[in-house]
C-alpha cells in the first residue's frame, strides 16, 4: 500500500510565457507622454531564440533588480520589478495575457528616473503590444528578423 503525503504539492513557480515558433503579426504602441506611436511588424520567432531570450531576461533582471517578481493572476502573468540600469531607477509592471500560441497581449507601465544632464528626470512610459500567430512558415524572414509594412527589415532578437 502506498503512503499518502499530507503535504500539499509545491506550486510550480510562475514563468514568462514563450511565443510559439513561426510568423507573428505584432502591433506595438508606445506612449511617453508626447502622444502614442504605433508600429506594425511581421516577425519570425525561432523557438531556440525565444527560450534563450526568456531565460537570459530572467537571469539579467535577477542580477540588476532589487525586486523581480513573476506571478500568475487569473489568466495573466504579471511581472513587477524595481531595477537599476545605467544609473537610473526603473519601476515597472508588465501584464501578459493570451495563450502565446495563437495570440497574446502585453501591457507595460514603467517609470524611469535619475539624473540626465545634471537634472533630475522622470519618464513615465506605457507600452502595449498585441500579437497574432500567422503560421509556422516565416517565408523569407529568418529567426529574430522582422519586417515593417514598407518592407524594411530589422533584427529584433
Amino acid at each position: 500500500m502506498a503512503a499518502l503525503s499530507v503535504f500539499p504539492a509545491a506550486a510550480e513557480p510562475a514563468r514568462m510565457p514563450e511565443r510559439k515558433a513561426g510568423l507573428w503579426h505584432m502591433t506595438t504602441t508606445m506612449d511617453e507622454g508626447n502622444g502614442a506611436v504605433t508600429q506594425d511588424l511581421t516577425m519570425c520567432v525561432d523557438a531556440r531564440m525565444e527560450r534563450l531570450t526568456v531565460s537570459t531576461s530572467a537571469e539579467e533582471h535577477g542580477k540588476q533588480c532589487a525586486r523581480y517578481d513573476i506571478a500568475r493572476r487569473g489568466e495573466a502573468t504579471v511581472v513587477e520589478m524595481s531595477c537599476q540600469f545605467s544609473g537610473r531607477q526603473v519601476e515597472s509592471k508588465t501584464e501578459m495575457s493570451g495563450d502565446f500560441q495563437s495570440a497574446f497581449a502585453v501591457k507595460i507601465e514603467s517609470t524611469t528616473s535619475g539624473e540626465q544632464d545634471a537634472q533630475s528626470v522622470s519618464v513615465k512610459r506605457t507600452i502595449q503590444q498585441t500579437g497574432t500567430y500567422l503560421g509556422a512558415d516565416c517565408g523569407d524572414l529568418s529567426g529574430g528578423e522582422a519586417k515593417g509594412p514598407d518592407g524594411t527589415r530589422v533584427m529584433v532578437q
Side-chain angles (χ1 to χ4, degrees):
M1 177 179 261
L4 295 175
S5 174
V6 293
F7 300 105
E12 185 175 314
R15 297 177 26 106
M16 297 285 285
E18 293 179 19
R19 295 168 294 189
K20 181 177 184 174
L23 192 64
W24 287 83
H25 175 263
M26 296 189 304
T27 300
T28 305
T29 302
M30 182 165 45
D31 190 347
E32 293 182 334
N34 297 322
V37 176
T38 299
Q39 180 181 39
D40 281 312
L41 291 174
T42 302
M43 179 180 163
C44 182
V45 173
D46 174 85
R48 185 180 130 320
M49 289 176 75
E50 185 74 354
R51 279 190 304 276
L52 185 60
T53 299
V54 168
S55 66
T56 301
S57 176
E59 185 178 313
E60 289 302 311
H61 283 99
K63 291 177 186 174
Q64 303 261 7
C65 302
R67 178 179 181 212
Y68 184 69
D69 298 326
I70 303 171
R72 288 289 296 173
R73 294 193 187 141
E75 296 298 314
T77 300
V78 179
V79 179
E80 294 179 292
M81 65 180 208
S82 176
C83 308
Q84 284 284 133
F85 294 108
S86 301
R88 296 196 178 160
Q89 183 65 31
V90 179
E91 304 284 336
S92 77
K93 179 179 179 180
T94 303
E95 294 184 36
M96 297 170 269
S97 60
D99 63 9
F100 286 76
Q101 302 299 297
S102 62
F104 69 84
V106 176
K107 181 177 182 181
I108 304 168
E109 294 176 308
S110 69
T111 302
T112 302
S113 55
E115 295 290 319
Q116 180 177 335
D117 300 327
Q119 294 183 1
S120 181
V121 176
S122 180
V123 176
K124 292 185 184 290
R125 177 179 297 117
T126 300
I127 301 171
Q128 295 187 54
Q129 184 178 69
T130 57
T132 304
Y133 186 71
L134 300 175
D137 183 9
C138 287
D140 61 346
L141 293 175
S142 57
E145 189 176 31
K147 181 169 43 175
D150 64 354
T152 301
R153 292 172 181 249
V154 294
M155 289 303 290
V156 293
Q157 281 187 331

